[in-house]
Amino acid sequence: MLSICPFCQRNVPSADLEWHANNHFSEDDIEMDMQLAKQISLEQTLMDVPVYLGESSNDFWGSHAQISMPNFSRNLFGSAQVLLEERLSRLLALQTKGNFYKVNGGLMSLLGTCLELESRRFKSVISGYIDHYQSIKSEDSSWGCGWRNIQMLCSHLLVQREEAREVLFGAAGFVPDIPSLQRWLEIAWERGFDLPGSHHFNNQVFGSRKWIGTTECAAVLRSFGLRARIIDFDSLSTSSPSTSNTRWNHRQFANHSSHYRDKLREKPVYGPMDKFLQRCNGDKDRNYDYFNPSKNEGEASDHVLLEWVWDYFTSDVGCKLDDVPDFFTSQRSPLYFQQDGHSRTIVGIQMQKHLEGSQQRYNLLILDPEHRTKDLENSLRHNNGWQKLLKRGAHTLKKQQYQLCYIDPGIACGKELEDLKTINSQVVGRLSF
């Protein structure tokens, strides 16, 4: 099976896609040696740091078990508990804040100003605060976009959601760098989150350039009790929405369709966003029946993903189009947006106004880790050229499969937290761009 390289657009064997893409960003020997030295140094430091498992450690886990680390140690026994607490203690002491270009006034504030200037033509909605984390050639170009999207999502959660700030990364109050995030993913696996994923990666990603995807994002966030959900949009499926345990990272995406139907689960498990998979009653512009795709031949089947995103971000104000202001900031989190070969972060959406007929036109508003933050800032600050960097209409969505990850409010505990260890996705078929 062939896949398209996201950088040179050449068809290459799917099994060789990661190797081929990495060759576009080959570093010189000095940069590689520096990166290796950094990894070895961090690994040695993790091994040498003293471990505190005495009274003070028990006080920490006791007082923060429900807040910072839900059920991290209470359900573990014997040596397994000690080993995990050792790794957690070391990581809490050594995790490093991720570097990013700080935009004066905030990138999303600049975007909001530009969108308000377009209010005569569009209705626009965006997420709240988000820091843009760009890929860096000497660190993670060609393989790090998944981690950068996790960083962007977490930057939003730390500022916008108090309950998330109290649990993420041991209540550190900052977004960690990629090596630290890799450690958190390994700990999530060790705690039983996404066991198929841990087996796929042989339980180890630290210090590697392995490509990750939406499932790994969900595993990290769920390990802190966050309700991370996954939605699949697939033009190859004609079934009604159900759940799937398929794994989609950059490499597996192209192989997904061949075994797609074999991995569907019989009993769907739906989350709080279920009502937005159905069209709102009484709105003539919202008549797509997601649960009966066969009814919708010729009725906006090419807008399933875009309409879902619109419903997601506008859920704060109701389902009627007239209720949606020309511009507003949603309480919803950004969306991790996965496709074959690349992932980005959806931070909002636009709907074009004054169109004849019932079919709406949308523009996704997307932050891409491959873009330079300073370029984004300059284009927004001067209201010049930012549309080419952030706007993506339906005509740009040419893949057959896409996947989104979003985070519902609240913190899970008890049985719900145990249930979150199994990561399924809700499938929406009939996607055709």
Side-chain angles (χ1 to χ4, degrees), residues 137-156:
K137 182 176 181 179
S138 61
E139 294 183 12
D140 65 290
S141 283
S142 84
W143 61 270
C145 57
W147 300 107
R148 297 304 185 184
N149 291 315
I150 293 176
Q151 289 178 317
M152 283 191 263
L153 282 176
C154 290
S155 74
H156 170 86

Side-chain angles (χ1 to χ4, degrees), residues 125-128 156 160 312-316 328-332:
V125 53
I126 58 174
S127 286
H156 170 86
Q160 298 292 130
Y312 172 82
F313 281 113
T314 60
S315 61
D316 300 347
F328 77 102
T329 300
S330 173
Q331 297 300 310
R332 287 288 176 182

Side-chain angles (χ1 to χ4, degrees), residues 179-327:
S180 300
L181 288 176
Q182 290 175 327
R183 283 298 194 196
W184 280 115
L185 177 57
E186 291 179 348
I187 286 177
W189 288 337
E190 190 171 342
R191 293 183 55 223
F193 288 87
D194 189 26
L195 289 179
S198 66
H199 298 327
H200 173 82
F201 287 99
N202 295 320
N203 307 310
Q204 185 175 3
V205 290
F206 176 77
S208 74
R209 299 184 181 186
K210 295 176 180 178
W211 293 4
I212 66 162
T214 318
T215 309
E216 287 68 49
C217 173
V220 170
L221 296 179
R222 286 184 176 202
S223 70
F224 298 105
L226 296 177
R227 296 175 171 129
R229 318 288 188 190
I230 296 177
I231 299 289
D232 291 333
F233 296 87
D234 193 339
S235 64
L236 303 178
S237 171
T238 57
S239 62
S240 60
S242 57
T243 56
S244 168
N245 63 354
T246 51
R247 312 189 42 73
W248 286 10
N249 63 34
H250 301 324
R251 184 174 53 223
Q252 285 78 46
F253 223 110
N255 297 326
H256 171 68
S257 59
S258 64
H259 57 264
Y260 176 89
R261 294 172 182 83
D262 294 335
K263 289 183 174 288
L264 294 179
R265 298 293 185 91
E266 293 181 358
K267 185 178 180 180
V269 181
Y270 299 125
M273 278 298 295
D274 282 355
K275 60 183 177 179
F276 303 112
L277 291 173
Q278 294 177 302
R279 312 316 296 162
C280 300
N281 294 328
D283 190 336
K284 65 179 181 180
D285 292 334
R286 295 163 173 248
N287 56 5
Y288 190 89
D289 187 349
Y290 288 92
F291 291 95
N292 293 283
S294 61
K295 294 182 179 180
N296 301 289
E297 296 295 340
E299 294 185 16
S301 62
D302 58 340
H303 277 61
V304 175
L305 187 153
L306 292 167
E307 290 186 352
W308 190 95
V309 173
W310 174 262
D311 283 344
Y312 172 82
F313 281 113
T314 60
S315 61
D316 300 347
V317 295
C319 61
K320 291 185 178 181
L321 185 58
D322 291 341
D323 294 335
V324 179
D326 288 343
F327 171 79

Side-chain angles (χ1 to χ4, degrees), residues 233 235 301-306 337 364 393-402 430-433:
F233 296 87
S235 64
S301 62
D302 58 340
H303 277 61
V304 175
L305 187 153
L306 292 167
F337 183 37
L364 295 176
H395 66 283
T396 68
L397 305 178
K398 300 178 180 179
K399 303 291 184 179
Q400 293 180 318
Q401 300 159 337
Y402 292 92
R430 301 297 300 170
L431 172 68
S432 61
F433 290 107

Side-chain angles (χ1 to χ4, degrees), residues 45-61:
T45 307
L46 283 170
M47 295 301 295
D48 295 338
V49 121
V51 179
Y52 300 100
L53 297 177
E55 183 176 341
S56 61
S57 177
N58 291 333
D59 289 343
F60 175 84
W61 298 119

